[in-house]
Amino acid sequence: MRLALVTGASRGIGRATALKLAQQGYRVAVNYRKRAQEAQQVVAAIREQGGDAFAVQADIADEAQVMALFQRLDEEDKPLGVLVNNAGILFTQCRVEDLSAERLQRVFATNVTGAFLCCREAVKRMATQHGGLGGAIINVSSAASRLGAPGEYVDYAASKGAMDALTKGLSLEVAAQGIRVNSVRPGFIYTEMHADGGEPGRVDRVAAMAGAIPMGRGGEAEEIAEAIVWLASEAASYVTGTFIDAAGGR
């Protein structure tokens, strides 16, 4: 059995991914920033289905907390095999002309710096040159990185564009070290994150717009988790530096 770390796993895509990785036999580290009760519920759900998991708190925007997170993983007697960089934040919808530097810094601290830090620590543990067994890193980006999210979340979209560059660049750095690095770019998915942006019904609004989503519906977190778990699996053993757009045709 190997370890899988899923950041931001207390809800949404992270939760669905943690459940599916546990079904594949991983001991799952369920990372959360502040939703301790929800994270423990994920752990309980995994154990109820016969899996193995534990919750671990860390704000990935804080380097010291990232270091402590990976030191907690080091206490396990199992090697790290999978990192899913899922944690991400956004704020209330607004135009670029109304953005503040503080908001930009907070979005990039989690969505970009946090992802880089987690990748850095994972590579130190996975790379064959460091005595690791290899592994898979999956970055949860967004279709917004391609589409820009005008009028709503250009800052969030830009942070996911940076994550896409991380995916491509890191995949080339570590391909010979037994580590595959890929990305899933979800579109409009039914998760609680839309409420964070001030519009809980955003997916239904967009889905009702003619032609906005070619498939005519929003996606489910479990559908994104399926793509993530496939990229983590041996079924994707010759896949690295690539992107799966799971956005209903957008």
Side-chain angles (χ1 to χ4, degrees), residues 2-6 21 26 79-84 126 135-138 232:
R2 298 181 70 179
L3 285 175
L5 168 62
V6 183
L21 284 171
Y26 288 94
L80 180 64
V82 173
L83 165 64
V84 179
M126 293 177 176
I137 296 173
I138 300 92

Side-chain angles (χ1 to χ4, degrees), residues 138-160:
I138 300 92
N139 294 323
V140 181
S141 179
S142 171
S145 71
R146 299 182 289 109
L147 303 173
E152 296 183 330
Y153 307 116
V154 175
D155 56 335
Y156 175 82
S159 74
K160 293 301 186 177

Side-chain angles (χ1 to χ4, degrees), residues 13 33 38 106-107 110 121 141 163 169 171 176 220-221:
I13 292 170
R33 179 170 63 96
E38 289 90 337
R106 291 179 65 186
V107 168
T110 295
E121 294 306 309
S141 179
M163 179 178 271
S171 73
E220 300 292 342

Side-chain angles (χ1 to χ4, degrees), residues 176-194:
Q177 296 300 319
I179 304 172
R180 296 182 298 104
V181 186
N182 292 289
S183 174
V184 175
R185 295 191 289 208
F188 287 93
I189 310 300
Y190 287 103
T191 71
E192 298 92 333
M193 180 173 258
H194 299 288

Side-chain angles (χ1 to χ4, degrees), residues 80-103:
L80 180 64
V82 173
L83 165 64
V84 179
N85 273 316
N86 169 73
I89 62 171
L90 52 70
F91 295 99
T92 306
Q93 298 165 348
C94 76
R95 298 172 63 85
V96 170
E97 63 197 69
D98 298 316
L99 286 173
S100 67
E102 179 187 10
R103 168 170 163 157

Side-chain angles (χ1 to χ4, degrees), residues 13 186-191 194 200-209 212-224 246-250:
I13 292 170
F188 287 93
I189 310 300
Y190 287 103
T191 71
H194 299 288
R202 182 169 177 253
V203 175
D204 287 331
R205 171 179 64 80
V206 174
M209 297 167 57
I213 304 176
M215 288 184 68
R217 66 173 179 86
E220 300 292 342
E222 290 75 16
E223 293 178 294
I224 307 306
R250 280 176 64 87

